[in-house]
Amino acid sequence: MDLTPLAKKMFLRLEPPSLADNTADLDRLRRGLKTAHGLEEVAVDLEVARKAPAILRRSGWRVTALLGLDGRPPRLLDLEAGQTAGREAGLAVDLGTTTIVGELLDLATGRSLGSASETNPQTALGPDILTRIQAARGQGLARLQGLAAEGINRIASSLASGAGLKEEEIVCLSVAGNTTMTHLLLGLDPANLCREPYIPVINRPDPVEAGTLSLKAHPRAPVFVFPNVGSYFGGDLIAGLVASGLAEREEVSLLMDVGTNAEVVVGNKDWLVGCAGAAGPALEGGVAKMGMAAGPGAIERVRIDPRTLEPQLKVIDGRAEPPLGLCGSGLIDLVAELYLAGVIDLQGKLLPLDHPRLVATEEGPAFVLAGGPGERSGEEEPILFSQVDLDILLRSKAAMYTILVTLLSQVGLTFQDLAKIYVAGTFGQHIDPWRAMVIGMVPDLDLSRYVSLGNSSLAGAVKGLVSGEARRKAARIRDRITYLELNVNQEFMNRFSAARFLPHTDRVLFPSVPRPAPRPEPRVG
Amino acid sequence: MDLTPLAKKMFLRLEPPSLADNTADLDRLRRGLKTAHGLEEVAVDLEVARKAPAILRRSGWRVTALLGLDGRPPRLLDLEAGQTAGREAGLAVDLGTTTIVGELLDLATGRSLGSASETNPQTALGPDILTRIQAARGQGLARLQGLAAEGINRIASSLASGAGLKEEEIVCLSVAGNTTMTHLLLGLDPANLCREPYIPVINRPDPVEAGTLSLKAHPRAPVFVFPNVGSYFGGDLIAGLVASGLAEREEVSLLMDVGTNAEVVVGNKDWLVGCAGAAGPALEGGVAKMGMAAGPGAIERVRIDPRTLEPQLKVIDGRAEPPLGLCGSGLIDLVAELYLAGVIDLQGKLLPLDHPRLVATEEGPAFVLAGGPGERSGEEEPILFSQVDLDILLRSKAAMYTILVTLLSQVGLTFQDLAKIYVAGTFGQHIDPWRAMVIGMVPDLDLSRYVSLGNSSLAGAVKGLVSGEARRKAARIRDRITYLELNVNQEFMNRFSAARFLPHTDRVLFPSVPRPAPRPEPRVG
């Protein structure tokens, strides 16, 4: 394992000065860093130089230097009396719009010291990227910056205390997030991200100091922020690419990050082409009444008995409580299961069957997933899945598939040419590829080609935290991606319309997907 | 001329973003800097990134970037709307213990925009290095830092206003000073500079930002501080070496900086050996009653008619006012002239001649230089030169000569091997080499070998300000100097005693110095 974190502590035993060896304090320190740790040249910040003489003498010339190692030359960030090296940690952060996940790492071994997640405190000012950008106007930007820091700080504090460390012993951080989230964390105005022609302030931020961002860590700790390609192609995706290894292999693979905004990259070690497009909010739970983000209480998995139509649900953090709603992966499961059970037809219509789970509502027919008659789910509203919800999901899945088809046709490949399809993002880790294939959201391929990356943004952030090679990879991947503007022309629209069927108007494209079970008793009227 | 200042403004006309070219604001700027100015890579500070989007749009994508050019990669320090390049200036500073001298330079042409000097405001807390170091204890350090900045700021303000520039248009500074002065300016504790084993905090400070030092300039302006070799071998001497060109030539030369502390370097492009030693305060005016630093009112040149003993004086900034005292060069002149006129004998005794200018005082015989009987010099005390003053000067000149002899014998050379002798330092510029030779302070060589460098510390600072090559030279010279600890042993003391005569006990060493005029009438008793 390449253990080259952004910052490192180094212990030094220095010879005290004498008339025979009267080199200056900081030059003595530099000499020690060269002799004992092979650092040829070290830049010294004035702040450290100012306090060094007292620390050197008080400690009897036994000191621990904190070095920032990402620039050339390395930089002396701090100096402590005595031996304090070996305990320092780094924090990798997946800065999501909804959820922030952090993992603390022992920098000496690369070992995980624990992970934790928090709802992004910015949600108080708006649930999604667009509302956040609106909230960032004027003084709002500083507030959103502070809230992002607050979310990371809660994680930093709890992980540090769990590992028996002081917050200042976190000596470096890496952050992967979408372009808007990293802009807000850095205090950069996101206004132009959502206005044509969609311009970020910066694509390749230089490392900043934790103190500048009000992060609870060593104030001089370098913070590496994953670069982005553009407004819709964030550092989280780059981190996912780093985690997947896609960009280093001979074989051609594809990585897809499914969400309100779908991001897709195809390529190998020689080339990388990517595009992003709106897939609609359905996949992130932003639909109708029963949709919710993947989080405690959300139904993430659905199985339906094709005979009885009785659902079996798996709820995130599910205890005794009834589920609160349905997240994206649950939604995909539900539609696939209803389709296979013959409750939804090829054209994406909920059939008005004569069954207690199918009820008529003002918005048309609906399937009662939980809390219906005869179920003991307290006084909550029943969780209904209506035709309106279905239509929204079908648009999202059609958009996703169309984006994939369009991208591949642009690079002259077919799905069969893909060695792997990596499903990335916090949402992606919950998707069942088979059911996503049943509804025609992803191509019909051998399931072994699908690889769920779990939280690939965090996995990439972890790599970026501990490995200089990973950080350089991130920079190279960013520079190598050819960004393809999705041209929403007639051809795209035709593809999109064809993809709104289940699984597709052209069933030949989905040979593995079985025809639905016949349902004998359509209700009349 | 190598015009590569520490910082530079660059004007850019950028293409506004479009859907076809939606690169990020800062990356667009980086691209512009690469295309128009050949900068391959540019680091961007968060502060600049935060304000860039508004400036870029407000200015219609016509902006001026301030680049810090001394590090790798160059750093974007600031961004301004419109075209503001070409007016920026840099300030070179000779930070002397007594006097601060500054020169403002047009960075586009390298042309001087004027120079000015101020008494170092730190003198309020102590006249010399030792008292300053004492004053720097505890809270005193911050105060001395502020006073050094205040002195530079007065010069910066007056020169900027004289050149029609705003202070923020000073975009870089270079400072040469002795080790104590640069420590105080940087806010580094000088306590260990004057305690055995005499350890500076740092010998090679990295450039700092003007704002950090409270200097009146662009707050992000890089400040280059000349490196020092040790406590007694400061950046002013390194600057002098840069100015002299000694370290780049084939021929062996010597540079001497004469003052309370004498610093001498001998060498050429292949080797450099230096030493420093106490020469006593005589040469900086720190003697008896009539001594003073070279400044307005100080007698800097003395000629004495050998027949009448009537003195002719040249006073610095001399207007109608009577002189206030005698500075080092005046002192050297006076002793040389009195020796040549037969008033001082070979052994350095003022002869008790029967002449109105020779008076008896409590401290023995004295020569009335000004303000004596028959002169209209107001009510001031007459300026007397006594045997006490003479003894102090003789010790200083003997120390100086002994240091020179010792250094040369250590490197196996004689004075005849020296192509040039550069006389450096603020004091050096006033010395008359012939008269210094007459008193045996410097070796008896053809006068054409003596080169007065003027204010070589300032001259070096000017070079360091505008030329990257000069800054690299300074670093190389610093690293190349072999510092020779002056061993004050019996041999040294023997040499010192021999050098206290006029010009020397061994007259063969000074063949050019004439024997004094005979004076017929020694006063009896």
Side-chain angles (χ1 to χ4, degrees):
Chain A
M1 182 165 65
D2 169 33
L3 258 182
T4 45
L6 284 154
K8 209 167 182 171
K9 287 187 176 180
M10 298 179 183
F11 175 62
L12 289 168
R13 265 175 225 276
L14 300 170
E15 278 299 308
S18 64
L19 277 176
D21 173 15
N22 62 356
T23 192
D25 289 347
L26 270 301
D27 298 85
R28 184 173 303 272
L29 203 66
R30 282 177 170 137
R31 195 173 62 188
L33 288 168
K34 184 171 172 178
T35 315
H37 300 279
L39 297 180
E40 269 306 315
E41 206 194 330
V42 172
V44 174
D45 284 351
L46 189 56
E47 210 179 313
V48 183
R50 285 178 175 172
K51 67 181 192 177
I55 292 172
L56 288 166
R57 284 165 182 80
R58 175 155 48 85
S59 69
W61 302 89
R62 296 172 69 257
V63 289
T64 301
L66 173 62
L67 275 298
L69 297 170
D70 218 40
R72 287 282 161 274
R75 182 165 281 278
L76 181 62
L77 300 177
D78 201 5
L79 197 65
E80 293 170 347
Q83 153 65 308
T84 63
R87 283 172 53 85
E88 67 271 26
L91 183 68
V93 178
D94 163 38
L95 182 59
T97 309
T98 308
T99 308
I100 306 177
V101 191
E103 182 162 352
L104 193 71
L105 284 108
D106 179 327
L107 294 178
T109 61
R111 195 168 47 89
S112 174
L113 297 172
S115 61
S117 71
E118 285 280 338
T119 297
N120 187 333
Q122 293 178 339
T123 48
L125 297 190
D128 54 33
I129 285 178
L130 227 57
T131 50
R132 304 275 171 88
I133 293 178
Q134 278 154 8
R137 287 190 195 144
Q139 298 307 307
L141 177 56
R143 199 167 157 213
L144 283 161
Q145 196 286 324
L147 288 171
E150 190 187 313
I152 295 174
N153 286 345
R154 281 190 209 142
I155 293 171
S157 294
S158 95
L159 290 178
S161 101
L165 294 173
K166 285 175 285 186
E167 286 154 1
E168 305 79 60
E169 291 182 292
I170 299 175
V171 299
C172 57
L173 295 93
S174 77
V175 179
N178 63 54
T179 306
T180 303
M181 285 308 113
T182 53
H183 270 55
L184 292 176
L185 175 65
L186 293 170
L188 300 172
D189 186 359
N192 296 305
L193 290 176
C194 65
R195 287 182 194 143
E196 207 180 292
Y198 314 109
I199 305 296
V201 175
I202 196 162
N203 279 330
R204 295 177 288 138
D206 288 290
V208 288
E209 292 185 357
T212 312
L213 305 180
S214 308
L215 293 177
K216 281 191 182 168
H218 191 290
R220 310 287 319 272
V223 182
F224 173 76
V225 177
F226 274 78
N228 35 266
V229 176
S231 295
Y232 292 116
F233 227 77
D236 48 355
L237 189 76
I238 305 285
L241 285 165
V242 169
S244 74
L246 176 154
E248 295 147 58
R249 285 198 279 270
E250 190 79 42
E251 62 193 32
V252 174
S253 295
L254 181 144
L255 181 143
M256 56 190 279
D257 193 333
V258 191
T260 302
N261 191 53
E263 292 135 18
V264 185
V265 176
V266 63
N268 65 1
K269 66 179 184 50
D270 298 318
W271 58 273
L272 293 169
V273 175
C275 71
L283 301 174
E284 282 183 313
V287 285
K289 290 176 194 143
M290 30 54 75
M292 66 178 285
I299 300 167
E300 59 163 334
R301 207 175 73 189
V302 179
R303 296 292 178 271
I304 288 174
D305 183 309
R307 277 187 313 107
T308 64
L309 302 190
E310 273 315 291
Q312 253 198 314
L313 308 178
K314 182 159 180 278
V315 179
I316 299 178
D317 276 356
R319 297 190 195 92
E321 294 85 8
L324 302 174
L326 201 63
C327 71
S329 60
L331 206 52
I332 290 167
D333 272 13
L334 174 60
V335 173
E337 293 284 311
L338 289 178
Y339 168 74
L340 292 173
V343 179
I344 299 175
D345 70 8
L346 294 171
Q347 295 175 50
K349 292 294 162 207
L350 264 169
L351 297 175
L353 302 179
D354 186 10
H355 189 281
R357 290 216 167 251
L358 278 153
V359 296
T361 71
E362 285 175 15
E363 294 169 343
F367 182 80
V368 182
L369 188 60
E375 285 181 24
R376 306 169 56 86
S377 73
E379 284 114 56
E380 291 84 11
E381 287 277 299
I383 296 179
L384 291 183
F385 179 70
S386 72
Q387 184 65 46
V388 175
D389 300 328
L390 177 54
D391 288 345
I392 295 171
L393 179 79
L394 291 177
R395 278 201 294 278
S396 286
K397 79 98 185 171
M400 190 69 237
Y401 186 77
T402 308
I403 290 169
L404 294 174
V405 171
T406 304
L407 177 60
L408 283 188
S409 88
Q410 293 263 7
V411 298
L413 293 178
T414 69
F415 289 124
Q416 289 301 333
D417 296 321
L418 301 175
K420 296 280 181 220
I421 294 185
Y422 297 100
V423 186
T426 38
F427 166 65
Q429 65 192 299
H430 300 288
I431 291 181
D432 173 356
W434 164 243
R435 285 170 179 81
M437 198 190 295
V438 165
I439 68 166
M441 185 174 108
V442 297
D444 188 336
L445 293 170
D446 191 279
L447 284 174
S448 66
R449 300 211 204 174
Y450 284 94
V451 181
S452 169
L453 291 175
N455 187 341
S456 55
S457 172
L458 182 64
V462 165
K463 290 201 171 189
L465 184 72
V466 298
S467 154
E469 182 49 34
R471 293 187 293 277
R472 285 186 293 276
K473 263 181 207 163
R476 278 197 303 267
I477 287 172
R478 198 221 78 85
D479 290 346
R480 284 176 52 206
I481 292 181
T482 305
Y483 185 80
L484 218 70
E485 200 61 50
L486 269 188
N487 210 343
V488 182
N489 52 20
Q490 193 53 49
E491 191 186 2
F492 186 93
M493 288 314 295
N494 291 348
R495 282 183 180 138
F496 177 69
S497 299
R500 284 181 65 179
F501 276 50
L502 283 172
H504 196 274
T505 45
D506 188 358
R507 278 204 58 95
V508 173
L509 295 171
F510 289 84
S512 319
V513 177
R515 301 217 164 238
R519 294 222 76 85
E521 338 122 85
R523 187 164 52 180
V524 181
Chain B
M1 183 165 64
D2 170 32
L3 256 184
T4 46
L6 284 155
K8 208 168 183 173
K9 286 187 178 183
M10 299 180 182
F11 175 61
L12 290 167
R13 264 174 225 275
L14 301 170
E15 279 298 308
S18 64
L19 278 175
D21 174 15
N22 61 356
T23 192
D25 290 347
L26 270 300
D27 298 270
R28 184 174 302 273
L29 203 65
R30 282 177 170 137
R31 195 174 61 189
L33 287 168
K34 184 173 173 177
T35 316
H37 300 280
L39 298 180
E40 270 304 315
E41 206 195 330
V42 172
V44 174
D45 284 351
L46 190 57
E47 210 179 312
V48 183
R50 284 178 175 172
K51 67 182 192 176
I55 292 171
L56 288 166
R57 284 165 184 80
R58 174 154 51 83
S59 69
W61 303 90
R62 297 172 69 257
V63 290
T64 301
L66 174 61
L67 275 300
L69 296 169
D70 218 38
R72 286 283 162 273
R75 182 166 281 278
L76 180 63
L77 300 177
D78 202 4
L79 196 67
E80 293 171 346
Q83 152 66 307
T84 62
R87 283 172 53 85
E88 68 271 25
L91 182 69
V93 177
D94 163 37
L95 181 60
T97 308
T98 308
T99 308
I100 306 177
V101 191
E103 182 161 351
L104 193 70
L105 284 108
D106 179 327
L107 295 178
T109 61
R111 196 167 46 90
S112 174
L113 297 171
S115 61
S117 71
E118 286 279 338
T119 297
N120 187 335
Q122 294 178 339
T123 47
L125 298 190
D128 53 34
I129 285 177
L130 227 55
T131 50
R132 303 276 172 89
I133 292 178
Q134 278 153 7
R137 286 190 195 146
Q139 299 307 308
L141 177 56
R143 199 167 159 212
L144 283 161
Q145 196 286 323
L147 288 171
E150 190 186 313
I152 296 175
N153 285 344
R154 282 190 209 141
I155 292 172
S157 295
S158 96
L159 289 178
S161 100
L165 294 172
K166 285 173 287 187
E167 285 155 0
E168 305 80 59
E169 291 182 293
I170 299 175
V171 298
C172 55
L173 295 94
S174 76
V175 179
N178 62 53
T179 306
T180 302
M181 285 306 115
T182 55
H183 270 56
L184 292 176
L185 175 64
L186 292 171
L188 300 173
D189 185 1
N192 296 305
L193 290 176
C194 64
R195 286 182 194 144
E196 207 179 289
Y198 315 109
I199 305 297
V201 176
I202 196 162
N203 279 328
R204 296 176 287 138
D206 288 290
V208 288
E209 291 186 357
T212 312
L213 305 180
S214 307
L215 293 177
K216 280 190 184 171
H218 190 290
R220 310 288 319 272
V223 182
F224 174 77
V225 177
F226 273 78
N228 34 268
V229 176
S231 295
Y232 293 116
F233 227 76
D236 48 355
L237 187 76
I238 304 287
L241 284 165
V242 169
S244 73
L246 175 153
E248 295 147 58
R249 284 196 280 271
E250 191 80 42
E251 63 193 34
V252 174
S253 295
L254 181 144
L255 181 142
M256 55 190 280
D257 192 333
V258 192
T260 303
N261 191 52
E263 292 134 18
V264 184
V265 177
V266 64
N268 66 0
K269 66 179 183 52
D270 298 319
W271 59 273
L272 292 170
V273 175
C275 70
L283 302 174
E284 282 180 314
V287 285
K289 290 178 195 143
M290 31 54 75
M292 65 177 287
I299 300 168
E300 60 164 334
R301 209 174 70 189
V302 179
R303 297 290 179 268
I304 288 174
D305 184 308
R307 277 186 313 108
T308 64
L309 301 189
E310 273 314 290
Q312 252 197 317
L313 308 178
K314 181 159 180 281
V315 178
I316 298 178
D317 277 357
R319 298 192 195 90
E321 294 83 9
L324 302 174
L326 200 63
C327 71
S329 59
L331 206 52
I332 291 168
D333 272 13
L334 174 61
V335 174
E337 293 283 313
L338 289 178
Y339 168 74
L340 293 173
V343 180
I344 299 175
D345 70 9
L346 293 171
Q347 296 175 47
K349 295 288 161 211
L350 265 169
L351 299 176
L353 302 179
D354 188 10
H355 189 282
R357 290 216 166 249
L358 279 152
V359 297
T361 70
E362 286 175 13
E363 296 168 343
F367 182 80
V368 183
L369 188 61
E375 286 181 24
R376 307 170 53 85
S377 71
E379 286 114 53
E380 291 82 11
E381 288 276 301
I383 295 180
L384 291 182
F385 178 71
S386 71
Q387 184 63 47
V388 175
D389 301 326
L390 177 55
D391 288 344
I392 294 171
L393 179 81
L394 290 177
R395 276 201 294 278
S396 287
K397 78 99 185 170
M400 189 71 237
Y401 186 77
T402 308
I403 290 169
L404 294 176
V405 171
T406 305
L407 178 61
L408 283 188
S409 87
Q410 294 265 5
V411 298
L413 293 178
T414 69
F415 291 124
Q416 288 301 332
D417 297 319
L418 301 175
K420 296 280 180 219
I421 294 184
Y422 297 100
V423 186
T426 36
F427 165 66
Q429 66 193 297
H430 301 288
I431 292 182
D432 173 355
W434 164 244
R435 286 171 177 79
M437 198 190 296
V438 166
I439 69 167
M441 183 173 109
V442 298
D444 189 336
L445 293 171
D446 191 279
L447 284 176
S448 66
R449 299 209 204 176
Y450 284 94
V451 180
S452 169
L453 291 175
N455 187 340
S456 54
S457 172
L458 183 65
V462 165
K463 289 203 171 189
L465 184 73
V466 298
S467 155
E469 182 49 34
R471 292 187 293 278
R472 285 186 293 277
K473 262 180 207 164
R476 279 197 303 267
I477 287 172
R478 197 220 80 85
D479 291 345
R480 284 176 51 205
I481 292 180
T482 304
Y483 185 81
L484 219 72
E485 199 62 50
L486 268 187
N487 210 342
V488 183
N489 52 19
Q490 193 54 50
E491 190 184 5
F492 186 94
M493 288 316 294
N494 292 346
R495 282 184 180 138
F496 176 70
S497 299
R500 284 181 64 178
F501 276 51
L502 282 172
H504 195 275
T505 44
D506 188 358
R507 279 205 56 95
V508 174
L509 295 171
F510 289 83
S512 320
V513 177
R515 303 219 164 238
R519 295 222 74 86
E521 338 122 82
R523 186 163 55 180
V524 180

